[in-house]
Structures are given as C-alpha cells and as structure tokens.
Amino acid sequence: MENNQQAQSSSYPPQAPAPPPPFHHLLQQQQQQLQMFWSYQRQEIEHVNDFKNHQLPLARIKKIMKADEDVRMISAEAPILFAKACELFILELTIRSWLHAEENKRRTLQKNDIAAAITRTDIFDFLVDIVPRDEIKDEAGLGGIVGTTASGVPYYYPPMGQPAGPPGGMIIGRPAVDPSGVYVQPPSQAWQSVWQTAAEDGSYGSGGNSGQGNLDGQS
Amino acid sequence: MGETEKVVPEAEELPKAIVRRVVKDELSRCSHDGDISIHKDALLAFSESARIFIHYLSATANDICKESKRQIISADDVFKALEETEYSEFVRPLKASLEEFRKKNAGKRAGASKEKDGKKKRKLEDEASDKDEGGDDDK
C-alpha cells in the first residue's frame, strides 16, 4: 500500500497529521454513513420481523375465551389462531387510529382516535358499545363527513345513507379517492406494509386484496 | 365448606407490555418521521378492544362449532368465524401461522413421541389447565 491518498478517501489516515477541519469533516461523514447503515439495518430487521416476537400468551388468551361460559372446549390450536388474530386486529385498529391522529395533527394517540376508528369502520361495529359517546368528537371541526370528492365516495367516513368505499369495510391497498389530497400515499403504504411484510416473509402468500365480504355500509 | 360462592374475577386482560409493543411497532411503520406516543387511556382502549375481539370471535366460532354438533372448537371453526365476521383478510396469515405451528409440533413430537403419548390425551381436552403452550393437538 503506498502513501497514496486516492484510495479510500473515507477512511481517515491513521498516522497522517491531519489538520483539525478535514479530520472533523471526515468523522462527520463517517457518522452519517454509520447512521444510514444502522437505519437501513433497522428497517431490514423490522421488515423481516414477523409476528413471532409479539406472541400473546396463550394461557391468557384461553382464559379470556373461557370467560364466556358458553365456550367449553377449545382445541390446542385455537389459542394460537386467536393470538395471531388478536395481533392482526390490533394492527388494524392501530393504523386506523393513527390516521385519525394524523388528521388532527397530533403525535400522540389518544382514546378518541380509537373511538373514531371504531365508529368509522364497519368490522369494528362490535366495539361500538365500549366507546363512550363523548369520545366521538372530531377535532378541528372536521365534522362527521369528509368533504365530498369528485366521485362522491369518501375514503374514511361513510356519510349518512351512503356505503363506505371499498366493500367489506377493510380497506386494503390504494384507496379509490383522496378526500384531502394528503393521505393517498401514507394509508396505502401503511396498509400494504401490514400485509406485504407477511408476503415477503414468505409464509403468508400474496398481499391482501380488497373486495372481501359484503357491503355493510349502513351502520 | 359452605355454599359454593361464585367469585367473579375482573376480566382477564391482555398483557399491556405486549399490546404496547404491537401498537408501537406498527406506529413506527406508519410514521417514519419520529415517534408517535400512546396515551395511557389509548393503550387501555387497545387492550380492551382486543379482549372484546377475542370474545366476539370465540362466540362466533363457538356457535359454528355447536351447529356442527361438535364439542371442541377447532381451527376450522375459527376460520369460518373469521369469514362470518368479515375478517376474511386474516385467514391467509392465520393459516400460515397454523402451518408453522403444526410443523414445529410435528418436529417436537417426532423427537419425544413416547413420553408425549401418555400426556397427550390429557392435554387435548382443555379444561382449566393453565399451560402456556396450549399443548399439541393430534387433530
């Protein structure tokens, strides 16, 4: 190796008596690279992170199921399914609650975000009773209806008497319209990330499709 | 001993830490620019909602099971319940999880079939046992 400084300019010359400014600059560069490296690694890990780490305790799940006296015997496989279903459910609820927080420009998820998610989503209808009425308020005067779009089909809120956008109540993939002009990308990415992670993990098949179930918009 | 008094415990809840982790991980996927925090009440709402979801789904699966005149809620009952409650999107990932679980168990069983044989019958019909693993199912 010659004293040739052309090679590997990013590594600082260990012995060269470099004057402070360039050295500092190189260090900064390195730090930046390191940061990028770790951020990428983290993304990779999260990307590959399948749901294994989140395993809800099966015994607890069983107890919850059996709190219903009607439920008697459960196969050994059932709690596994319930644990996973529960986790997926929480993911759904999280995303939708987060959307509401985003709409209101908050970086803290609050109870009323969850209330909003429940109110807006048909498949969460079974939760409607646990939401206190005073939680269902919209901040910033958004009202119950997002502005009508060109096609009149809202993304989030089913206005009175009109069905929600995609059938099935679960919106997977790209929303058809974008009421505010802001949320087209983030929601679809957020949705796709849930199912795509699964897809790329190899164990779940292709990502989710919309169009499941029947239309149940009149709630 | 006196009369049998039925003590109604507070509803079992899902462990907060795990619920919190599930939520936080998803939030960090949703929002790439900084952390979203979770208000304490929001976390409770998540746990509560998930708990009720379990009830909702098990009641549905239970009905389906009873309709077929069976006693034990099977994996298939759960899948049917998901369809019925319009959570069919969950079916595919759940089937994959089930496959994994079955494979893992098959491996375990192969290695320890003799000692499991005696215990299997007891584990299969679950009553009040509080094992974390849920046992293995011979299907």
Side-chain angles (χ1 to χ4, degrees):
Chain A
M1 195 74 80
E2 303 150 30
N3 291 343
N4 191 340
Q5 301 223 323
Q6 282 175 352
Q8 295 191 330
S9 58
S10 61
S11 61
Y12 67 94
Q15 302 142 341
F23 177 72
H24 185 63
H25 170 69
L26 286 169
L27 253 188
Q28 259 186 349
Q29 222 177 49
Q30 248 196 344
Q31 268 188 350
Q32 270 172 23
Q33 284 174 357
L34 269 175
Q35 268 172 15
M36 275 168 46
F37 171 77
W38 285 116
S39 145
Y40 171 78
Q41 284 298 317
R42 202 174 134 258
Q43 274 175 37
E44 278 297 299
I45 292 170
E46 283 178 353
H47 199 59
V48 166
N49 180 32
D50 66 358
F51 302 115
K52 271 199 195 100
N53 297 345
H54 294 316
Q55 182 72 55
L56 293 158
L58 299 179
R60 194 79 61 93
I61 302 251
K62 241 187 282 181
K63 277 198 195 147
I64 293 176
M65 289 173 75
K66 286 177 145 291
D68 179 352
E69 286 177 353
D70 251 8
V71 173
R72 296 288 165 79
M73 291 194 272
I74 311 168
S75 79
E77 294 179 328
I80 311 272
L81 295 176
F82 273 85
K84 183 63 121 206
C86 212
E87 195 184 321
L88 294 176
F89 169 80
I90 295 174
L91 293 183
E92 290 267 352
L93 190 53
T94 300
I95 294 173
R96 291 180 187 270
S97 307
W98 171 74
L99 284 172
H100 187 261
E102 279 280 296
E103 286 164 24
N104 294 283
K105 303 197 179 11
R106 271 185 285 102
R107 304 197 65 77
T108 304
L109 265 194
Q110 291 173 358
K111 193 171 171 189
N112 65 320
D113 295 320
I114 296 163
I118 290 172
T119 312
R120 298 177 188 181
T121 315
D122 290 339
I123 55 169
F124 292 164
D125 276 354
F126 69 96
L127 289 170
V128 139
D129 288 338
I130 73 165
V131 178
R133 298 224 72 222
D134 56 336
E135 291 289 348
I136 315 175
K137 59 177 161 66
D138 274 309
E139 296 151 64
L142 274 176
I145 301 175
V146 169
T148 48
T149 62
S151 61
V153 179
Y155 175 42
Y156 301 126
Y157 309 68
M160 314 301 187
Q162 278 181 35
M170 273 169 66
I171 302 171
I172 305 288
R174 209 163 290 281
V177 293
D178 168 32
S180 64
V182 171
Y183 293 111
V184 175
Q185 278 314 307
S188 62
Q189 270 174 19
W191 282 119
Q192 277 172 10
S193 72
V194 176
W195 306 108
Q196 219 162 49
T197 305
E200 278 158 55
D201 188 39
S203 24
Y204 302 118
S206 61
N209 284 310
S210 63
Q212 294 277 1
N214 29 32
L215 244 162
D216 184 21
Q218 350 281 346
S219 42
Chain B
M1 234 44 89
E3 65 282 297
T4 23
E5 190 183 66
K6 182 155 190 204
V7 178
V8 184
E10 251 178 51
E12 287 285 342
E13 282 176 15
L14 293 167
K16 264 200 251 192
I18 301 186
V19 174
R20 189 165 186 279
R21 203 174 353 129
V22 176
V23 175
K24 279 234 102 173
D25 284 359
E26 186 52 34
L27 286 177
S28 62
R29 253 193 287 232
C30 291
S31 158
H32 296 287
D33 55 338
D35 275 342
I36 311 275
S37 39
I38 309 167
H39 191 268
K40 209 172 22 148
D41 282 349
L43 189 59
L44 287 176
F46 277 116
S47 294
E48 200 42 21
S49 305
R51 187 179 67 80
I52 296 182
F53 173 71
I54 293 176
H55 280 307
Y56 177 46
L57 194 62
S58 24
T60 310
N62 195 38
D63 285 344
I64 292 171
C65 177
K66 282 186 176 168
E67 270 171 38
S68 338
K69 310 272 201 299
R70 276 178 290 106
Q71 315 300 325
I72 307 176
I73 298 180
S74 65
D76 219 57
D77 293 329
V78 181
F79 288 127
K80 291 208 179 86
L82 286 169
E83 300 279 349
E84 189 156 312
T85 52
E86 293 184 42
Y87 279 87
S88 12
E89 300 280 353
F90 287 9
V91 169
R92 215 180 289 171
L94 254 54
K95 282 198 165 151
S97 277
L98 187 58
E99 265 319 295
E100 261 181 72
F101 170 74
R102 284 175 175 170
K103 274 193 216 144
K104 243 195 325 182
N105 255 28
K108 260 196 247 169
R109 257 208 307 261
S113 54
K114 282 184 190 144
E115 69 178 279
K116 290 266 185 177
D117 245 304
K119 298 184 186 168
K120 238 197 291 186
K121 199 135 187 142
R122 189 155 50 83
K123 273 189 180 185
L124 185 67
E125 284 167 8
D126 169 51
E127 279 301 343
S129 69
D130 195 354
K131 298 191 177 52
D132 250 355
E133 241 196 306
D136 22 277
D137 182 24
D138 203 10
K139 202 170 47 101

